[in-house]
Amino acid sequence: MFDASKIKNQKVLEFIQDRINLLQPKDIVLIDGSEEIYKALTDEAIASGEMIKLNEKTYPGCLLHRTRPNDVARVEARTFICSRKEEDAGPTNNWMDPKEMYAKLNGILDGAYKGRTMYIIPFSMGPVGGPISKVGIEITDSIYVVLNMRIMTRVGMNVLEALGDSNDFVRGTHAKCDVDPEQRYITQFPEDNTIISVNSAYGGNVLLGKKCFALRIASYQGKNEMWQAEHMLILGIERPGKPIVYMCAAFPSACGKTNLAMLIPPKSFQEKGYKVYTVGDDIAWIKKGPDGRLYAINPENGFFGVAPGTNSHSNYNALMSTKKNAIFTNVALNPETKEVWWEALEKDAPDKKKPSFLIDWTGKDWTPDMVDAEGKPVKAAHPNSRFTAPAINCPCISPEFENGAGVPISAFIFGGRRPTTVPLVYQAKSWENGVFIGSIMGSETTAAATGAVGVVRRDPMAMRPFCGYHMGDYFQHWLDIGKTVDLDKQPKFFNVNWFRTDAEGNFIWPGFGDNMRVLDWMLKRIDGEVDAVETPIGFVPKADDIDLTGLDFSKETLKDILKVDNAAWKVEAEGIKEFYKSFGNKLPKSLADQADELLAKVSK
Ligand code: OXD
Ligand code: MN
């Protein structure tokens, strides 16, 4: 039972009392971080069928959960930034007046926990008590949420101790209600440090520490407190005889962020002594350190990765991370072995045959020959099925993962899926130019999606769905941060494109571990070991400076995907200028100038 005397912080107590009054739970449980509570909740969830226990030998401590078929992904159309002024939410966010939204949500939340248990989760984003870390309290009626938050964040009484009597904590409320998609709201109130999520029970919508806090609320906090919350992986690379160099990289969803974060270098690089260390795969909080350099922490404690496509070739380290104490959501189950399965799991693992019978993600029988009404194979796992895995399971987790002061950042990398136009890699000419490059990133639509093919969907810094305030102000914040960092301490900016295709639509660059070859060029640029070719868009490598040892890839093809085609970039620059119009007078002048400059240069 909940013992309020365990909580000393008056503001936390007031928040909890207010939630009790509104939600009217039957029972209240404070998640104190003890093994006993997790064990009891796991047993309860298994007994009720909310969770399925997996094979204790091959997947010790692992569970499977299935959501409702109408509740399988983040819902951007129902995600709101409720700032007091509409213009503060900007053109990339849905907005509703906070008073109106609170009234609507309070109506939904009134008595929503009747007959149910309320769980109080004190959690820290970042190592507990660290100089960049922040605290949140999530109230939920879902054991799935409690058990996932335990993996994705640091949970327990030590978080409240670190908070002391401070009022600087995020107030999160989640209620499953009827999981009604028509009444689903994922709402952020940045000025109140408040998140309310109702009528969903799917990870990205309900694990409030992740996108809602660590990106939407934190980006707003970062603007006010002169730091940054970014949708970026963090990785460290060791070269023989050199200190580890850390980089942050932003890509839109489904561009291989988790894969790059856990990359395994090609054999020829491994033999030379190259090593990769993962600090984070999704979010970076970045702040200036005492030495004037920018330092990044991963505020999360686990990975919430997409399962389908993950196999020992695409991401061995992620796969290994899921082998114990992980929670799977909406993957398929082998009912005989009590092991999980998803599409492409056995690819490149010839000892594992495709299973002949499974229970699919909806709980129904599945065989590989099943087709839907259009004759397409029926998928056993949902395409957005996920694993929640503790970061410490990752074989290449960085020894700095628990360092609350973070790691010093030497490069920012941006990228998207661009079958044409954008070269394999190029380097920005300055911080300002780097911000410009980040602001124009995006992915081209392909035949796989409905709508026009070849249209660039812009996703600045991969933050379009996650920036908690006006994106024009966000660009200005990036520019302002740059002004606070001395030139010799500024990270370098790069843009990459792993997704160039040939006339038949096949990817030209092999990607995955071979991306190390491109990162290696960046390391050499950072250390001033190689020069580069100046082009209208930035610095492009000389083909000889990308190490192709051990790779069957011709220099001619490499030269092709490094080329800057002025005619294509003219179309690009015109598209950028059009896109920039959506930010109105909030677009920083220096970015508008850069778009003009680019257009002028490629039009010559
Ligand atoms: C994620 C995303 O789930 O970016 O990380 O969509
Ligand atoms: Mn993400």
Side-chain angles (χ1 to χ4, degrees):
M1 216 29 232
F2 174 53
D3 174 3
S5 71
K6 282 192 173 170
I7 298 178
K8 304 281 178 278
N9 182 310
Q10 283 310 306
K11 293 289 173 200
V12 172
L13 277 174
E14 276 167 30
F15 168 61
I16 292 172
Q17 193 54 55
D18 178 68
R19 298 293 90 180
I20 294 172
N21 297 347
L22 179 66
L23 295 157
Q24 301 163 42
K26 175 165 70 83
D27 301 308
I28 303 167
V29 174
L30 173 63
I31 305 300
D32 60 9
S34 66
E35 286 305 316
E36 293 74 41
I37 284 201
Y38 295 131
K39 164 106 184 41
L41 291 180
T42 303
D43 290 348
E44 188 182 329
I46 292 169
S48 72
E50 184 178 352
M51 296 281 194
I52 296 167
K53 189 173 156 51
L54 297 176
N55 186 316
E56 196 45 60
K57 274 214 187 87
T58 49
Y59 287 93
C62 292
L63 301 166
L64 166 65
H65 173 77
R66 298 186 188 117
T67 66
R68 300 261 182 100
N70 73 23
D71 189 29
V72 293
R74 288 188 290 102
V75 279
E76 281 167 27
R78 308 204 64 90
T79 300
F80 289 79
I81 298 295
C82 303
S83 44
R84 271 170 229 137
K85 287 198 268 163
E86 182 171 5
E87 72 155 334
D88 289 342
T92 54
N93 286 308
N94 301 311
W95 176 85
M96 200 186 284
D97 179 81
K99 280 203 203 87
E100 212 179 302
M101 186 58 101
Y102 278 131
K104 184 189 278 290
L105 292 170
N106 284 344
I108 295 173
L109 292 173
D110 192 5
Y113 285 10
K114 270 188 189 157
R116 304 183 60 83
T117 302
M118 166 169 152
Y119 303 100
I120 304 166
I121 314 172
F123 65 95
S124 173
M125 299 311 292
V128 178
I132 310 180
S133 304
K134 293 242 182 213
V135 168
I137 312 282
E138 177 163 355
I139 307 290
T140 181
D141 55 348
S142 158
I143 295 180
Y144 170 78
V145 168
V146 175
L147 297 179
N148 274 278
M149 284 294 281
R150 174 203 191 180
I151 298 174
M152 293 305 295
T153 72
R154 283 109 170 149
V155 174
M157 296 310 284
N158 56 344
V159 173
L160 290 175
E161 274 158 36
L163 181 66
D165 55 11
S166 166
N167 190 25
D168 184 9
F169 65 94
V170 166
R171 291 136 167 90
T173 306
H174 163 245
K176 279 195 281 196
C177 307
D178 301 323
V179 199
D180 175 1
E182 302 300 320
Q183 293 297 316
R184 189 167 294 154
Y185 291 98
I186 318 299
T187 63
Q188 285 75 198
F189 300 80
E191 289 129 339
D192 300 344
N193 259 357
T194 291
I195 302 164
I196 301 176
S197 163
V198 293
N199 275 299
S200 174
Y202 167 79
N205 298 329
V206 299
L207 307 180
L208 301 186
K210 194 174 178 63
K211 304 295 188 183
C212 302
F213 178 175
L215 288 175
R216 297 195 190 99
I217 295 281
S219 59
Y220 174 82
Q221 294 176 326
K223 174 176 78 101
N224 294 331
E225 298 164 9
M226 224 36 205
W227 56 280
Q228 293 170 277
E230 298 297 337
H231 191 197
M232 288 179 162
L233 65 89
I234 312 166
L235 91 173
I237 308 175
E238 186 174 335
R239 292 199 285 168
K242 304 247 180 188
I244 299 175
V245 170
Y246 294 93
M247 303 176 169
C248 287
F251 302 97
S253 303
C255 287
K257 233 157 88 229
T258 304
N259 295 348
L260 186 66
M262 299 177 190
L263 167 150
I264 297 180
K267 221 161 171 228
S268 62
F269 282 75
Q270 286 180 34
E271 280 162 10
K272 277 191 225 153
Y274 280 63
K275 283 200 185 91
V276 168
Y277 300 96
T278 307
V279 181
D281 79 325
D282 196 39
I283 299 176
W285 282 2
I286 305 162
K287 204 175 196 173
K288 200 156 108 172
D291 64 357
R293 293 187 69 186
L294 292 180
Y295 283 75
I297 62 161
N298 171 9
E300 301 191 280
N301 198 33
F303 310 121
F304 186 59
V306 176
T310 303
N311 58 48
S312 55
H313 169 68
S314 67
N315 198 335
Y316 170 83
N317 289 316
L319 197 62
M320 288 305 110
S321 308
T322 67
K323 295 294 181 189
K324 61 174 186 220
N325 303 327
I327 297 175
F328 297 90
T329 304
N330 293 340
V331 301
L333 174 72
N334 183 328
E336 260 171 46
T337 63
K338 291 267 184 266
E339 291 178 314
V340 286
W341 190 86
W342 50 77
E343 275 66 27
L345 173 61
E346 73 291 325
K347 210 175 144 209
D348 299 299
D351 55 317
K352 285 215 165 131
K353 280 211 299 291
K354 199 168 182 163
S356 55
F357 177 77
L358 295 167
I359 306 295
D360 76 5
W361 69 275
T362 66
K364 293 203 200 81
D365 292 359
W366 178 93
T367 49
D369 53 350
M370 284 167 70
V371 287
D372 64 14
E374 290 162 23
K376 291 199 193 118
V378 172
K379 293 200 184 323
H382 188 276
N384 191 37
S385 54
R386 299 281 178 147
F387 54 80
T388 318
I392 48 161
N393 283 0
C394 180
C396 61
I397 194 72
S398 164
E400 298 296 319
F401 176 69
E402 289 292 348
N403 181 351
V407 292
I409 297 305
S410 299
F412 288 120
I413 305 171
F414 298 119
R417 275 178 189 266
R418 299 297 305 267
T420 64
T421 313
V422 179
L424 176 66
V425 58
Y426 65 101
Q427 183 186 351
K429 295 175 186 173
S430 63
W431 180 288
E432 268 194 0
N433 185 225
V435 176
F436 172 70
I437 287 171
S439 77
I440 63 168
M441 67 184 254
S443 284
E444 223 162 282
T445 50
T446 64
T450 48
V453 172
V455 175
V456 181
R457 197 175 290 134
R458 305 262 169 213
D459 184 356
M461 282 87 169
M463 281 290 277
R464 193 182 180 124
F466 306 120
C467 184
Y469 60 104
H470 196 297
M471 201 129 221
D473 292 334
Y474 168 76
F475 295 153
Q476 187 59 53
H477 183 53
W478 262 98
L479 295 167
D480 292 345
I481 291 275
K483 287 181 203 126
T484 71
V485 186
D486 293 342
L487 206 56
D488 62 327
K489 297 192 165 122
Q490 287 182 356
K492 307 273 185 280
F493 287 75
F494 298 91
N495 193 84
V496 297
N497 179 22
W498 317 130
F499 299 98
R500 287 288 289 260
T501 53
D502 61 18
E504 279 81 49
N506 303 309
F507 291 122
I508 298 172
W509 179 249
F512 300 107
D514 287 308
N515 292 337
M516 182 70 230
R517 302 171 192 278
V518 175
L519 299 181
D520 178 52
W521 178 75
M522 295 179 195
L523 295 176
K524 292 182 189 147
R525 288 292 292 166
I526 291 164
D527 285 348
E529 293 168 25
V530 290
D531 55 7
V533 183
E534 187 165 355
T535 76
I537 64 168
F539 296 107
V540 173
K542 294 179 171 166
D544 284 341
D545 289 333
I546 295 205
D547 184 348
L548 295 177
T549 312
L551 184 65
D552 183 14
F553 196 85
S554 82
K555 197 143 285 168
E556 284 317 303
T557 312
L558 179 61
K559 280 183 186 160
D560 260 3
I561 57 170
L562 288 173
K563 238 184 239 148
V564 177
D565 173 351
N566 281 2
W569 274 93
K570 184 161 181 285
V571 176
E572 184 77 9
E574 280 157 357
I576 293 164
K577 282 171 66 79
E578 198 52 41
F579 170 64
Y580 269 0
K581 283 187 191 155
S582 61
F583 302 109
N585 61 10
K586 292 257 192 189
L587 180 76
K589 183 170 176 315
S590 65
L591 296 189
D593 290 348
Q594 294 212 36
D596 289 339
E597 212 176 290
L598 174 64
L599 182 57
K601 278 191 187 148
V602 293
S603 301
K604 269 184 201 152

